[in-house]
């Protein structure tokens, strides 16, 4: 606690996408200190951000001892990664200050996608075949040996940045050329990439919160995907999985084993898992809270999310440990749709949005690109234009409305002028 008697929580790389977590701690009467892990703001976070609500705003300038000393002055009870890029610094600071920590030993495995998969494989878990690659010839030779379809992606990025699904060695080589030397959404330069076997099966998200190695699964989602010329496996929506779904138990058990293998003892985590014929297999983990406003939709469906459980884990650990096994209460079916803009231009309006708002299970719309702004063709999470949420007691009503917006989505959904 600080001199005013308030508990202090430190969030590393708190930006608008994770401000709801900061606000939850503030609503509990805490002072929240923000630590920025880089001097320059990574390009994925650039934009106006008012930090005046934080009790302090500390910029890490590369010297851990200096940043740890600045943080220690506030006498925090926790240091938490609020964004993907802040995971390693949060591990360092929490360990340095003797706070609940995931520690530095496995920090690389929680950020580097190649090391991550090798770590869970070493723990005896189902893991994708993969190779660390720095040159096109090695990649092409591996693709020929493995055969079929593969995935090439940066080692340390997020939001589907640079991810390419490739059917031929030539496509793989081209994907690697597009990755090497390019900067990620976190403004890091790619010097290598990872190629992995293409996992066939439904893709799911498992969101968790941990305390002392005990894991609460707060929400499980199934992705909808589409492929069209030039866009492969585009994620178009997420669907909250009910508690009685047989696949949920399978995912919960596997996710818990992955968290243990990666040393995630404390705090939120976001896992993407594909259920193959041979069972669940990890795509990747973010040792931080989910993005895409997922906690809002999780609470809409089941009355709980990573936000509330994270507050419990750090402020009231005894209560967390007493309740983390309580039954999951599924209250309504929820789906989120992320439409796919087919072309570039200056947006005039969304002419069919009023039709969507009139649907029986319509709940809300989030607008990322507003009229007057420029849209680009949607190819990944960073090029989304809007998100539409649906919620209803009937799964059939939600499914009908979700399918309806997918039918409406297309050139007619966007009134666009050439920029």
């Amino acid at each position: 606690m600080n001199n005013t008697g308030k508990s202090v929580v430190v969030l590393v790389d708190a930006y608008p996408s994770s401000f709801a977590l900061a606000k939850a701690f503030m609503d509990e009467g805490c002072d929240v200190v923000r630590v920025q892990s880089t001097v320059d703001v990574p390009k994925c976070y650039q934009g106006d951000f008012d930090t005046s609500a934080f009790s302090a705003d500390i910029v890490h300038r590369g010297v851990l001892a200096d940043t740890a000393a600045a943080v220690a002055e506030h006498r925090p009870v926790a240091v938490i990664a609020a964004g993907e890029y802040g995971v390693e610094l949060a591990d360092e600071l929490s360990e340095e200050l003797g706070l609940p920590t995931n520690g530095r030993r496995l920090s690389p495995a929680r950020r580097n996608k190649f090391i991550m998969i090798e770590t869970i494989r070493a723990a005896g878990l189902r893991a994708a075949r993969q190779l660390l690659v720095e040159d096109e010839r090695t990649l092409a030779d591996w693709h020929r040996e493995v055969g079929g379809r593969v995935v090439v992606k940066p080692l340390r990025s997020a939001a589907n940045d640079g991810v390419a699904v490739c059917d031929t060695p030539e496509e793989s080589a081209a994907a690697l050329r597009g990755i090497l030397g390019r900067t990620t959404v976190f403004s890091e330069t790619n010097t290598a990439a990872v190629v992995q076997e293409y996992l066939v099966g439904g893709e799911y998200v498992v969101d968790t919160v941990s305390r002392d190695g005990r894991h609460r699964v707060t929400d499980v989602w199934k992705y909808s995907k589409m492929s069209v010329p030039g866009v492969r496996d585009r994620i178009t929506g997420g669907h909250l999985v009910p508690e009685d779904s047989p696949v949920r138990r399978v995912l919960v058990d596997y996710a818990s084993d992955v968290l243990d293998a990666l040393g995630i003892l404390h705090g939120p985590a976001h896992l993407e898992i594909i259920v193959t014929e041979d069972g669940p297999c990890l795509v990747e983990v973010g040792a931080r809270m989910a993005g895409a406003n997922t906690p809002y939709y999780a609470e809409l469906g089941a009355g709980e999310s990573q936000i509330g459980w994270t507050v419990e884990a750090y402020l009231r650990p005894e209560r967390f440990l007493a309740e983390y096994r309580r039954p999951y209460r599924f209250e309504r079916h929820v789906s989120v749709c992320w439409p796919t803009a087919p072309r570039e231009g200056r947006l005039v309006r969304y002419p069919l949005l009023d039709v969507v708002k009139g649907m029986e299970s319509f709940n809300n719309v989030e607008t990322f690109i507003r009229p007057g702004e420029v849209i680009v063709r949607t190819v990944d999470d960073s090029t989304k234009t809007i998100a539409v949420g649906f919620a209803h007691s009937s799964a059939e009503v939600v499914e009908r409305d979700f399918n309806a917006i997918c039918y409406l989505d297309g050139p007619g959904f966007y009134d666009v002028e050439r920029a």
Side-chain angles (χ1 to χ4, degrees), residues 150-168:
V150 302
V151 179
V152 184
K153 57 186 178 182
L155 291 174
R156 290 168 53 88
S157 196
N160 302 121
D161 171 47
V163 177
V165 179
C166 306
D167 288 323
T168 67

Side-chain angles (χ1 to χ4, degrees), residues 299-314:
E299 290 181 12
L300 184 65
E304 67 174 82
S305 75
Q306 287 180 302
I307 291 178
W309 280 101
T310 299
V311 170
E312 289 290 286
Y314 287 102

Side-chain angles (χ1 to χ4, degrees), residues 312-342:
E312 289 290 286
Y314 287 102
L315 298 187
R316 293 176 286 271
E318 297 84 3
R319 186 187 298 181
F320 178 97
L321 294 172
E323 296 186 357
Y324 78 98
R325 287 180 174 171
R326 70 167 167 77
Y328 177 71
R329 299 187 299 269
F330 191 85
E331 298 172 355
R332 60 181 62 84
H333 298 272
V334 176
S335 289
V336 188
C337 180
W338 299 294
T340 306

Side-chain angles (χ1 to χ4, degrees), residues 92-357:
E92 292 175 325
L93 289 172
S94 56
E95 186 175 75
E96 192 79 7
L97 298 175
L99 299 171
T101 184
N102 293 327
R104 282 175 272 202
R105 186 177 67 84
L106 288 175
S107 235
R110 295 189 284 269
R111 284 285 291 118
N112 182 300
K113 300 181 194 304
F114 177 80
I115 299 174
M116 179 184 295
I117 299 303
E118 292 306 305
T119 300
I120 70 162
R121 191 194 320 280
L125 301 179
R126 168 85 164 90
R129 290 175 293 170
Q130 64 171 6
L131 185 71
L132 182 68
V133 290
E134 299 177 356
D135 65 273
E136 296 174 30
R137 184 171 182 176
T138 301
L139 171 56
D141 288 345
W142 189 86
H143 192 163
R144 290 188 189 95
E145 179 184 344
V146 171
R149 183 174 290 175
V150 302
V151 179
V152 184
K153 57 186 178 182
L155 291 174
R156 290 168 53 88
S157 196
N160 302 121
D161 171 47
V163 177
V165 179
C166 306
D167 288 323
T168 67
E170 292 73 24
E171 288 182 1
S172 295
L176 184 62
R177 284 196 299 273
I179 291 173
L180 295 181
R182 179 173 167 267
T183 58
T184 70
V185 294
F186 300 120
S187 299
E188 288 185 310
T189 300
N190 293 312
T191 58
V194 60
V195 55
Q196 297 173 340
E197 66 173 307
Y198 181 84
L199 299 170
V200 178
E203 185 168 356
Y204 295 81
V205 165
V206 179
D207 292 325
T208 65
V209 178
S210 303
R211 175 74 198 202
D212 296 328
R214 308 296 198 276
H215 312 302
R216 172 67 177 187
V217 172
T218 60
D219 45 294
V220 176
W221 301 82
K222 187 179 190 300
Y223 280 150
S224 291
K225 297 183 180 180
M226 59 171 269
S227 290
V228 297
V231 182
R232 184 77 59 82
D233 281 6
R234 151 86 180 134
I235 297 171
T236 58
H239 313 276
L240 190 62
V241 176
E243 78 284 359
D244 58 355
S245 172
V247 75
R248 194 178 195 276
R249 183 71 262 165
V250 172
L251 289 163
V252 167
D253 290 344
Y254 178 79
S256 295
D257 289 341
V258 169
L259 295 174
D260 291 341
L262 294 176
I264 298 178
L265 305 173
H266 299 278
H270 173 72
L271 301 89
E272 294 178 338
I273 300 168
I274 291 180
V275 178
T276 71
E277 288 184 351
D278 300 321
C281 190
L282 183 69
V283 177
E284 58 190 58
V285 177
R288 39 73 184 171
M289 196 174 70
N293 206 18
T294 301
Y296 166 80
Y297 296 108
E299 290 181 12
L300 184 65
E304 67 174 82
S305 75
Q306 287 180 302
I307 291 178
W309 280 101
T310 299
V311 170
E312 289 290 286
Y314 287 102
L315 298 187
R316 293 176 286 271
E318 297 84 3
R319 186 187 298 181
F320 178 97
L321 294 172
E323 296 186 357
Y324 78 98
R325 287 180 174 171
R326 70 167 167 77
Y328 177 71
R329 299 187 299 269
F330 191 85
E331 298 172 355
R332 60 181 62 84
H333 298 272
V334 176
S335 289
V336 188
C337 180
W338 299 294
T340 306
R343 63 176 187 267
E344 299 182 2
R346 189 169 301 281
L347 180 68
V348 177
R349 63 190 180 108
Y350 296 102
L352 299 178
L353 198 52
D354 284 342
V355 176
V356 175
K357 291 179 179 179

Side-chain angles (χ1 to χ4, degrees), residues 46-73:
Q46 289 175 0
D48 294 334
F49 180 37
D50 182 5
T51 60
S52 60
F54 297 98
S55 60
D57 193 9
I58 299 168
V59 177
H60 176 58
R61 301 184 181 278
V63 180
L64 179 62
D66 291 348
T67 304
V71 170
E73 290 181 4

